[in-house]
Amino acid sequence: MRIGQVAAELDISPSTLRRWTERFSDYLSPGAVGNGRGTPRDFTETDVLVLGSIQSMRERGLDDEAIQAAFEAERAQEESTHRDLIRIEQGGTMELLPPAAAAAALAQALRQLSETQQALLNSQQAHRDLLGVVVQDNFNLKEENARLRKRLRQLEEEVGHLKESDWNHRLSLEERLTELERKKKRWWDRLLDR
């Protein structure tokens, strides 16, 4: 890949990409570093992954020295693993570890892989459980919402009945008051006639 393509993929400027390739050239392929004579840089997929790691560490607030230290630690870990699997003889030839040692190293690697896989499975199960709780809560909220709507309709009906009853009671009181006033007037009329 060319510098413009990599810069676009990582969403950074070409000048930032050039600075990173110069600063972290020990961890990139020779084609990515370039020869300084105008030859276009050619980035491999591994280079893009390394640059993506640099970008990720930058976003987490790490400076160049901290990023360099992280790469050195990773390189030391890889070399340690490599030394565990391959033994260099005095004559300079490489020989695989004896079967027992290779089996032990492979068993350890498989054990670590199994533990990582189990951790992922546990994480997935926790997410499924959480999703189940969220779905159940959603179902419970829908039921509660339906109950509240039903209760609200009942209250609206009760308020309607109370208003109607209050209105009827008011009319009844007005009629009684009117009747009492008529009776009072008749009484006064009778008293005055005498």
Side-chain angles (χ1 to χ4, degrees), residues 9 14 17 54 79 85 96 98 124 149 156-157 163 187:
E9 185 172 324
L17 185 57
I54 293 169
E79 288 174 0
L85 294 176
L96 289 178
Q124 285 178 339
R149 284 183 182 180
E156 286 172 349
E157 288 175 8
K163 282 183 179 178
W187 275 95

Side-chain angles (χ1 to χ4, degrees), residues 24 27 50 53-54 57 66-76:
F24 302 104
Y27 311 105
V50 169
S53 296
I54 293 169
M57 287 187 262
I67 294 171
Q68 179 110 17
F71 280 134
E72 287 301 322
E74 185 178 336
R75 182 179 278 176

Side-chain angles (χ1 to χ4, degrees), residues 31-58:
V33 176
N35 62 12
R37 292 183 225 148
T39 306
R41 297 176 190 226
D42 188 26
F43 294 87
T44 66
E45 290 298 320
T46 303
D47 293 330
V48 175
L49 291 174
V50 169
L51 292 165
S53 296
I54 293 169
Q55 182 180 33
S56 176
M57 287 187 262
R58 281 271 190 208

